[in-house]
Amino acid sequence: MIRIAPSILSADFARLGEQVQAVEAAGVDRIQIDVMDGRFVPNITFGPIAVACLRPLTRLTLEAHLMVERPEDFIESFARAGADTIIIHQEATPHLHRALQQIHALGKKAGVAINPATPAILISEVLANVELVLVMTVNPGFGGQEFIPETLGKIRQVRNALRQRNHPCDVEVDGGIYEETVRRVVEAGANVLVAGSAVYDAKDGAVAAIQRLLARAGSEPD
Ligand code: DX5
């Protein structure tokens, strides 16, 4: 089942609660909250308070994508704020395995993300310790960027590595996911598609945009 994970990075922050509830009506099962610290990525967004504010408004799975240095310093606060899945970057900590154990110890699902320049082999030792692998298809920090086609081979590599281990795990992609690119990432093995500007900048609204993405991905809305 192909899933769309709307990224709130492109939402209207003046009415964030409504924007989350709008995509819930479109039948998605999760949203992605893009956390940026201005160090790991050249942009700053929000902290655990964004998760805490949204938590009571929605039953959707809240994925906190921590684009931050030393994510182990923040895992607990996002878990307590109500995140269901916490995604950390392989590049952001020398103790990736321990940080993933910390996420599980808090009763949350763990995800590991890799940037475009990071080879898939660098997460091979933790594939059994995650429920989600996020292959970044742009350099993280901003919405509305151009899809990086060189990441398609890596998506394939990750999906094949998971198949060989017979390990059920989402392969998620993030960045530059539009109608023009969605088919290619699904064919490469992605099953969760993070989309920010394709959803929230759509002229005919988020619900129609999500349904178009699902149709192009070859998976009709639920
Ligand atoms: C990292 C962010 C963005 C965002 C989606 O830069 O994580 O990738 O979620 O951006 P779009 O869908 O607008 O390319």
Side-chain angles (χ1 to χ4, degrees):
M1 170 64 73
I2 302 300
R3 301 281 185 192
I4 304 293
S7 153
I8 63 167
L9 189 63
S10 302
D12 176 355
F13 278 54
R15 48 195 195 93
L16 190 52
E18 287 166 44
Q19 297 254 280
V20 168
Q21 289 165 337
V23 294
E24 193 161 10
V28 303
D29 71 340
R30 68 189 79 184
I31 56 164
Q32 184 153 116
I33 297 167
D34 299 280
V35 179
M36 301 182 187
D37 66 355
R39 303 292 295 268
F40 183 71
V41 290
N43 195 1
I44 296 176
T45 54
F46 28 67
I49 194 163
V51 175
C53 289
L54 290 174
R55 183 68 286 172
L57 303 179
T58 179
R59 288 192 309 280
L60 288 177
T61 293
L62 299 183
E63 288 189 354
H65 177 190
L66 305 189
M67 289 168 271
V68 303
E69 287 184 356
R70 293 188 53 78
E72 53 268 36
D73 294 350
F74 305 100
I75 286 167
E76 182 165 357
S77 54
F78 279 93
R80 297 209 184 291
D84 300 293
T85 303
I86 299 175
I87 303 169
I88 61 177
H89 271 257
Q90 180 277 334
E91 307 90 351
T93 171
H95 300 295
L96 177 60
H97 187 279
R98 181 187 292 151
L100 295 170
Q101 285 180 316
Q102 185 187 358
I103 295 171
H104 284 144
L106 288 159
K108 305 300 179 181
K109 285 190 174 179
V112 61
I114 43 178
N115 286 333
T118 304
I121 189 77
L122 290 186
I123 57 171
S124 59
E125 296 303 319
V126 295
L127 285 183
N129 306 88
V130 294
E131 290 73 46
L132 180 146
V133 174
L134 170 52
V135 178
M136 291 303 297
T137 43
V138 295
N139 289 298
F142 302 93
Q145 298 181 85
E146 194 80 14
F147 177 80
I148 300 173
E150 289 76 10
T151 58
L152 288 165
K154 192 187 322 181
I155 298 166
R156 214 165 276 120
Q157 276 181 340
V158 169
R159 177 55 76 191
N160 290 340
L162 291 166
R163 274 201 193 103
Q164 279 160 18
R165 289 165 171 77
N166 196 19
H167 178 52
C169 178
D170 283 332
V171 176
E172 185 170 272
V173 290
D174 178 1
I177 301 301
Y178 295 94
E179 287 180 62
E180 301 73 25
T181 52
V182 73
R183 193 87 222 115
R184 298 164 73 190
V185 293
V186 168
E187 282 164 0
N191 69 300
V192 181
L193 318 177
V194 176
S197 38
V199 171
Y200 284 113
D201 294 350
K203 291 192 177 23
D204 55 350
V207 175
I210 288 166
Q211 287 167 350
R212 277 200 304 278
L213 287 171
L214 283 170
R216 290 296 288 266
S219 167
E220 291 310 309
D222 301 13

